[in-house]
Amino acid sequence: MIHIRKGSKYDGVVENATDTIIQKLTPEIRKTILRIKHDMPKDAIIPGIEVYHGVFTGHVQSYDELILWRKNNPLTNSLEWLPE
């Protein structure tokens, strides 16, 4: 759970990202995201938004591809990223 102060610069940011992802999500993209999350080792610490970033932006198709993608394309500000 995240507590964000009403009126702050982060107010509505997560909701906007969620709405945008939902609008852009296709059955194929959803399957890919779920497969990557399923294949992720239990001790891996990768925020979900980075999985979305890799799949939407980098066309990542597997957990191994995600690891390479993150190395070469770090998501430096997850609060500003939205799928195109």
Side-chain angles (χ1 to χ4, degrees), residues 5-82:
R5 188 178 308 267
K6 188 171 180 72
S8 76
K9 73 178 188 175
Y10 302 112
D11 187 12
V13 171
V14 173
E15 294 83 357
N16 184 42
T18 302
D19 290 344
T20 304
I21 288 168
I22 289 169
Q23 291 171 8
K24 307 276 182 176
L25 198 62
T26 65
E28 274 185 38
I29 291 173
R30 181 180 182 276
K31 248 179 166 173
T32 301
I33 290 166
L34 291 174
R35 183 176 54 249
I36 291 169
K37 288 183 174 187
H38 177 268
D39 293 345
M40 195 177 300
K42 301 294 181 218
D43 60 344
I45 303 174
I46 301 175
I49 194 72
E50 290 192 39
V51 176
Y52 289 97
H53 180 241
V55 173
F56 277 103
T57 305
H59 309 288
V60 167
Q61 294 292 309
S62 69
Y63 174 74
D64 291 337
E65 287 182 17
L66 177 64
I67 297 305
L68 290 173
W69 167 260
R70 290 178 75 227
K71 191 179 293 185
N72 297 318
N73 302 277
L75 183 57
T76 56
N77 188 347
S78 62
L79 294 174
E80 291 183 0
W81 176 80
L82 293 174

